Amino acid sequence: MLFSPLALGELELPNRLVMAPLTRLRAGEDGIPGPLLAEHYRQRASLGLIVSEGTYPSPAGRSYPGQPGIVTEEQIAGWKTVTDAVHAQGGRMFAQIMHGGRVSHPDITGGHTIVAPSAVAIEGEVRTPAGKRPYPAPHALTTDELPLIMQEIVDASLNAIEAGFDGVELHSANGYLLHEFLAPNSNVRNDSYGGSPENRARFVIETVNAVVAAIGASRVGIRISPEHNVQGIAEVDAADVRATYEVLVDSIAPLNLAYLSILHHEPSGDLVQDLRARFGGTFLVNTGFGVVTTREEAVALVTDGHADAVVVGRPAIANPDLARRWNESLPLNEPDPSTFYADGAEGYTDYPAYAG
């Protein structure tokens, strides 16, 4: 079943392998996707769906040097060359819209203020163009500022459609802004957007609804990562996690989104499968950063009914023709981690397709 078609929104995927949104940082200082990105994604068009690397909706939402944006006309035009290349190969592609929140530094955002639900800094250092720096204490967004952030995400989603993407994935995982609203340690607000699970989920729910109103539900997916405690997130109370994500999923389920994508270390466990049942629509799973997803695991997740499709990262980095290789049980290229976050073609567009 992994290699059978799947309806996703208004698309029909030829297989159930989804390329994960993989941070690769090759868009330069201006965040403009160039020919290198177009070639990288074009090579992987045989995967059922490609999700772009996290793309910032505003300068203040940029988390990394070299990360692409979808704000300026030049960035939109750059992405249009990417989507044109993917579509010319028969592929399908969503843009991941990612506001980095407190996972950033003014040296990365061009001096723009770092924002978050609350003025709680991440412990540790961030890599900036000027070297490693401590994460700054972010500005706690006021209630009046929240609609402005939401509008930036809506505008970025509209820009993605203008750039030829088939849809957008809202990044509410891995410690970035939307996830920061969900987690009780990064959201210590005492207004209607903080405190209870219902309040902490409110901004994410409102943002999803706003994007759906702008571009249509069939073009909107969302990515979540409950209990994925990275980049300062601490979702450690199982009851609170369940309550928070049940509120979120129950609230967005009636919208009939294109999909819900969950990154979790136990995709067949009760929490993930309960959220799947509540969502009731196309359901994608990703087993997380800790281990590489194998062909056997991906086949089992779909065959056993735990997911409609499987999101894969490192195998897709090293094998542009991963769908063929896994379908025909062919040997794989091994990824080179030293080139994951680098410049240039090495480790990006130079992995060969199977020669046979």
Side-chain angles (χ1 to χ4, degrees):
M1 287 186 64
L2 186 65
F3 307 102
S4 64
L6 172 69
L8 183 145
E10 296 181 1
L11 301 176
E12 180 168 293
L13 311 187
N15 58 68
R16 296 164 185 251
L17 286 171
V18 176
M19 179 173 166
L22 298 159
T23 299
R24 304 306 301 278
L25 309 181
R26 284 165 165 85
E29 182 178 350
D30 295 326
I32 300 173
L36 192 65
L37 274 77
E39 176 61 13
H40 171 74
Y41 287 114
R42 182 199 69 79
Q43 292 175 350
R44 290 155 178 80
S46 62
L47 290 161
L49 176 69
I50 294 172
V51 183
S52 80
E53 72 176 284
T55 302
Y56 60 85
S58 65
R62 188 178 198 174
S63 284
Y64 306 108
Q67 180 187 4
I70 194 156
V71 184
T72 68
E73 290 300 321
E74 294 79 9
Q75 290 168 347
I76 296 169
W79 277 120
K80 186 66 167 64
T81 67
V82 175
T83 60
D84 283 349
V86 170
H87 289 148
Q89 293 295 116
R92 298 135 299 273
M93 189 171 185
F94 272 40
Q96 189 188 64
I97 307 301
M98 172 188 137
H99 192 301
R102 64 181 186 161
V103 185
S104 192
H105 190 280
D107 288 352
I108 297 171
T109 64
H112 289 270
T113 301
I114 307 305
V115 300
S118 302
V120 180
I122 301 174
E123 293 184 9
E125 295 181 320
V126 58
R127 192 179 301 275
T128 79
K132 288 186 177 181
R133 298 285 187 269
Y135 281 107
H139 163 68
L141 289 163
T142 66
T143 305
D144 290 342
E145 290 171 328
L146 293 181
L148 304 177
I149 300 296
M150 191 182 306
Q151 189 61 48
E152 290 175 349
I153 295 172
V154 169
D155 290 344
S157 301
L158 289 165
N159 291 345
I161 300 304
E162 181 183 343
F165 284 99
D166 298 298
V168 303
E169 176 179 285
L170 300 178
H171 198 350
S172 187
N174 299 357
Y176 299 109
L177 182 68
L178 295 182
H179 195 187
E180 291 163 14
F181 272 91
L182 296 171
N185 72 309
S186 53
N187 181 351
V188 295
R189 302 171 70 95
N190 56 14
D191 63 1
S192 61
Y193 291 92
S196 68
E198 292 78 10
N199 284 356
R200 282 184 277 116
R202 188 185 309 275
F203 184 69
V204 181
I205 295 165
E206 291 179 353
T207 301
V208 173
N209 275 272
V211 174
V212 165
I215 67 171
S218 66
R219 289 176 160 179
V220 180
I222 184 172
R223 183 170 173 87
I224 60 175
S225 60
E227 300 179 317
H228 190 55
N229 296 323
V230 298
Q231 301 191 131
I233 293 297
E235 293 177 324
V236 295
D237 181 329
D240 181 81
V241 169
R242 179 175 285 275
T244 302
Y245 286 91
E246 284 180 351
V247 168
L248 172 59
V249 173
D250 286 350
S251 297
I252 63 175
L255 297 173
N256 295 315
L257 301 181
Y259 64 83
L260 171 64
S261 181
I262 295 189
L263 186 152
H264 196 273
H265 66 277
E266 194 177 2
S268 60
D270 289 346
L271 173 63
V272 173
Q273 291 304 309
D274 286 352
L275 293 176
R276 180 191 188 184
R278 287 172 177 271
F279 182 66
T282 302
F283 187 73
L284 283 51
V285 298
N286 189 173
T287 55
F289 296 150
V291 295
V292 177
T293 302
T294 65
R295 178 190 185 278
E296 293 70 25
E297 181 183 16
V299 167
L301 283 167
V302 175
T303 302
D304 295 344
H306 296 308
D308 296 305
V310 179
V311 183
V312 294
R314 280 163 283 186
I317 287 177
N319 298 276
D321 55 345
L322 181 66
R324 179 197 173 194
R325 289 182 189 244
W326 273 6
N327 191 21
E328 300 178 20
S329 298
L330 299 173
L332 300 181
N333 300 323
E334 288 299 319
D336 177 5
S338 70
T339 62
F340 285 175
Y341 314 111
D343 293 321
E346 183 181 2
Y348 194 61
T349 57
D350 59 353
Y351 287 107
Y354 189 73

